[in-house]
């Protein structure tokens, strides 16, 4: 005869008291064993917080304070668990010269939106082969003759844009973080495709701001000038959404499941389709230029030239269509990674140029002599610095 939930109290009444106590003790024992199994397991010989070792969340609530608490170059925190190394020389040695250390699953899973980009691969044959396609893009010839001048030109466009914003802001500070993102991304697009890709990230912003009147610029909560955002091209917006996807996957409880779920969404599938279309079009155009002139003037042409030389070395004819998928992954990853590092580099320099005089300890009488930058950049940075002294950080 089946029992309902309302019959359970009657069942317990029929059971002997000793049996109930034994069942409760067994349940408590199982729960305690599970609790002990879930607690962090310290690595012998490395300092750690003993209180955190008795918490299920470990050091997650106060992880950033652990290095200062122990005053040790190496300590462990119970999140994965992780080891925190507060020694820049040793960290550099581990990353560059110690083959026994490799990328963790936390890194490879968190960067899974970059697909086959070598930055998320563990060291091995596939990593080495993938990285080879980009080898020419870190050489002095490419950096000095192609990458450097184009990033410089994009920074000049950014300075012009800031001068327009400064005029419209009329003495108010304004946020430049997204401007640096757009400028760095445009630099990467210029390096990859040059002028053959007509769309830019900063262009729509310039167009949106140039149509404004100073009286129509809104003021934010902190007294800053707020400017409208222009609509981005689908390919550019897709790359930006890839960066957001990395953040979401990294913060999820299960990065593998989060990435699988993301791949099922129509939006992510559309982003992949747009990337494939743009890379296919740009590859075809670059191949035609390369075969016609024999010159390599963009990053994608360098990739195609390396594919051609590799095929000739094997006595075969290069099949550029086969490598299309790899090329899409490399270009997408290059846009994300290198634009972010360029943005951080440019942002650091802009922040240094706008620091108050007493913090810098550098004469401001002749900015060009001190920093070797062009006159227009000098004037813009001087305006940003004077505005910061009056209104706070820009």
């Amino acid at each position: 005869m089946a029992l309902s939930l309302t019959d359970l109290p009657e069942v317990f009444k029929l059971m002997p008291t000793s049996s109930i106590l034994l069942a409760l003790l067994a349940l408590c024992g199982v729960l305690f064993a599970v609790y002990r199994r879930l607690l962090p397991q310290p690595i012998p010989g490395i300092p750690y917080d003993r209180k955190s070792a008795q918490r299920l969340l470990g050091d997650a609530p106060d992880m950033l304070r652990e290095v200062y608490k122990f005053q040790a170059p190496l300590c462990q925190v119970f999140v994965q668990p992780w080891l925190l190394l507060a020694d820049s020389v040793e960290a550099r040695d581990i990353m560059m010269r110690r083959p026994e250390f490799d990328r963790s699953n936390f890194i490879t899973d968190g960067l899974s939106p970059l697909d086959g980009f070598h930055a998320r691969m563990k060291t091995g044959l596939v990593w080495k082969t993938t990285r080879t396609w980009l080898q020419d893009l870190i050489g002095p010839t490419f950096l000095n003759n192609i990458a450097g001048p184009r990033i410089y030109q994009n920074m000049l466009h950014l300075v012009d844009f800031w001068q327009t914003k400064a005029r419209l802001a009329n003495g108010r500070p304004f946020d430049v973080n997204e401007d640096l993102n757009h400028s760095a991304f445009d630099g990467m697009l210029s390096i990859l495709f040059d002028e053959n890709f007509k769309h830019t990230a900063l262009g729509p912003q310039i167009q949106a701001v140039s149509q404004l009147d100073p009286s129509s610029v809104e003021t934010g909560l902190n007294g800053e000038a707020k400017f409208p955002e222009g609509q981005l091209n689908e390919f550019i917006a897709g790359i930006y959404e890839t960066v957001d996807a990395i953040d979401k996957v990294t913060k999820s409880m299960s990065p593998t499941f989060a990435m699988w779920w993301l791949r099922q969404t129509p939006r992510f599938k559309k982003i992949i389709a747009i990337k494939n279309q743009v890379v296919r079009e740009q590859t075809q155009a670059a191949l035609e230029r390369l075969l016609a002139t024999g010159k390599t003037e963009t990053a994608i042409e360098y990739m195609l030239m390396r594919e051609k030389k590799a095929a000739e070395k094997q006595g075969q004819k290069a099949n550029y269509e086969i490598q299309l998928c790899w090329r899409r992954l490399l270009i997408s990853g290059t846009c994300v990674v290198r634009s972010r590092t360029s943005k951080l580099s440019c942002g650091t320099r802009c922040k240094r140029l706008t620091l108050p005089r007493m913090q810098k300890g550098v004469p401001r009488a002749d900015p060009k002599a001190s920093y070797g930058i062009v006159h227009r950049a000098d004037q813009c940075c001087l305006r940003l610095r004077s505005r910061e002294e009056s209104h706070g950080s820009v």
Side-chain angles (χ1 to χ4, degrees), residues 242-253:
T242 301
V243 177
D244 296 336
I246 294 175
D247 187 55
K248 293 177 182 178
V249 171
T250 303
K251 292 179 179 179
S252 65
M253 295 295 293

Side-chain angles (χ1 to χ4, degrees), residues 116-129:
F117 190 60
H118 70 274
R120 64 172 298 263
M121 295 180 180
K122 294 184 182 293
T123 304
L125 181 60
V126 177
W127 170 83
K128 186 176 181 180
T129 303

Side-chain angles (χ1 to χ4, degrees), residues 165-166 168-176 217-220 222-227 383-384 387-394:
K165 276 190 168 183
L168 294 172
N170 195 24
R172 290 171 292 175
F174 52 91
D175 187 7
V176 299
V217 178
E218 298 180 1
T219 302
N222 299 316
E224 77 279 8
K226 297 182 65 176
F227 294 96
R383 291 180 186 179
L384 289 174
R387 190 176 298 114
E388 184 188 39
E389 292 174 350
S390 302
H391 302 278
S393 300
V394 176

Side-chain angles (χ1 to χ4, degrees), residues 173-214:
F174 52 91
D175 187 7
V176 299
N177 186 59
E178 288 304 315
D179 298 339
L180 288 169
N181 279 336
H182 296 325
S183 179
F185 189 82
D186 286 346
M188 290 304 103
L189 286 179
S190 181
I191 291 170
L192 286 167
F193 306 135
D194 198 12
E195 297 179 354
N196 304 288
F197 188 72
K198 304 300 182 182
H199 304 281
T200 64
L202 197 60
Q205 320 311 320
I206 295 175
Q207 185 177 5
V209 170
S210 62
Q211 299 174 353
L212 294 176
D213 186 81

Side-chain angles (χ1 to χ4, degrees), residues 32-63:
F32 182 74
V34 171
Y35 169 77
R36 296 293 300 176
R37 181 66 181 85
L38 294 176
L39 285 176
Q41 305 298 319
I43 301 173
I46 300 178
Y48 66 93
D49 189 343
R50 296 187 180 278
K51 292 182 179 179
S52 299
Q54 303 302 318
R55 297 185 300 189
L56 292 178
L57 294 179
D59 291 293
D62 50 4
M63 181 182 66

Side-chain angles (χ1 to χ4, degrees), residues 298-342:
T298 63
I300 195 170
E301 290 171 7
Y302 271 81
M303 294 182 194
L304 293 172
M305 177 61 76
R306 178 165 283 275
E307 292 177 26
K308 181 180 178 182
K309 289 181 179 179
E312 291 176 351
K313 188 176 181 179
Q314 297 175 0
Q316 301 175 357
K317 185 177 179 180
N319 189 337
Y320 302 103
E321 189 66 25
I322 292 179
Q323 301 294 340
L324 178 63
C325 180
W326 281 105
R327 209 174 296 118
R328 188 258 300 173
L329 301 177
L330 292 173
I331 288 174
S332 175
T334 301
C335 282
V336 171
V337 175
R338 297 201 176 185
S339 65
R340 293 293 153 173
T341 54
S342 298

